[in-house]
Amino acid sequence: VVARAAGRLTAPARRPAPSAFAAAANSRPFSSEELVPGVGKGKTSTGLVGLPVDHDAVPKMITKYQALLDKMAASDMPEGAQYRKNVTAIAEFRIKAANENLNDPEAVEELCNCGQVEELVQQADNEMIVLDMYLRNRWWEYVKDNVVIEHNPDHEADDDGREWDEPLEKNTA
C-alpha cells in the first residue's frame, strides 16, 4: 500500500520483528559467527578521517608487501643496499604476521605495532611510491657504506664548508 503525503508517494515503514533484527545485527549472512561491534567484521570506523574500514585489509597487505619484495628482486638495486635490507625485513615480517592471522586483524595490528590494518595497507602503498623514487634516482649509489654514527656529535668539528643544498656526490667505493 502506498500512501500520499504532501504530494509525495511514501511507502509504509516496515520494521523487522525484534528477534529477526537482533539476529541480523549479531551475525553475518551465511555464517554462524557472531559480530562483535567495533571488532573484526563488526568494525564500522577506523576513527581516522579519510580512512574507511576495509574488511579485506589483511589479504591486501600480503599482496602489496609481496609486490614490494617482487619489485626489489626484479630491480638492479644491490642486495646489500641498506634500504633494501630494511624494506625486505619489514615486508617479510608483515606478510608473516598477516598469513598467520588471516582472520584476526587485531592480532596483525598488535604484532606489527604500526597502526590499524587499513593503515598498514596505506603504508605499503606509500612505500611503493618511495621505492619507485629510490629505483628511478638510484639513491643507493649516494649512500656511503660503514658510516660511523656518533650519538653525541660535535657539529663544529664536522663542518666541512658544504651547504645543505649542494648536490650529493655518488659513492665511488
Side-chain angles (χ1 to χ4, degrees):
V1 176
V2 176
R4 188 174 282 277
R8 288 179 278 171
L9 295 175
T10 59
R14 291 185 184 179
R15 293 185 183 195
S19 60
F21 179 75
N26 290 324
S27 67
R28 295 183 308 189
F30 310 111
S31 174
S32 61
E33 179 183 338
E34 285 193 30
L35 287 181
V36 178
V39 177
K41 296 289 182 185
K43 184 176 180 181
T44 59
S45 173
T46 62
L48 302 170
V49 175
L51 187 61
V53 171
D54 183 354
H55 295 295
D56 296 320
V58 176
K60 284 181 184 177
M61 277 179 59
I62 296 168
T63 302
K64 289 173 183 275
Y65 282 106
Q66 188 60 54
L68 283 167
L69 294 174
D70 294 344
K71 187 166 206 154
M72 284 190 296
S75 74
D76 61 343
M77 184 189 322
E79 288 187 21
Q82 191 63 49
Y83 175 75
R84 183 171 180 164
K85 290 179 192 176
N86 294 347
V87 172
T88 298
I90 291 167
E92 287 175 349
F93 179 81
R94 291 182 179 181
I95 289 170
K96 181 180 179 203
N99 276 325
E100 291 175 357
N101 298 285
L102 279 172
N103 296 318
D104 190 357
E106 288 77 21
V108 175
E109 293 169 359
E110 190 173 324
L111 286 168
C112 293
N113 198 25
C114 283
Q116 298 176 46
V117 287
E118 292 86 355
E119 291 176 284
L120 295 171
V121 169
Q122 196 173 54
Q123 289 170 22
D125 290 337
N126 292 339
E127 196 62 54
M128 185 61 83
I129 294 167
V130 173
L131 177 59
D132 287 338
M133 287 189 298
Y134 205 88
L135 294 172
R136 182 177 54 250
N137 295 309
R138 302 180 62 85
W139 284 340
W140 63 87
E141 295 177 352
Y142 296 94
V143 177
K144 295 179 182 173
D145 294 331
N146 302 322
V147 174
V148 177
I149 298 173
E150 301 173 23
H151 295 299
N152 190 13
D154 179 4
H155 296 290
E156 299 298 322
D158 288 341
D159 186 12
D160 60 3
R162 288 190 304 157
E163 295 296 323
W164 284 102
D165 59 351
E166 288 181 23
L168 296 172
E169 298 170 12
K170 281 190 176 181
N171 185 12
T172 57

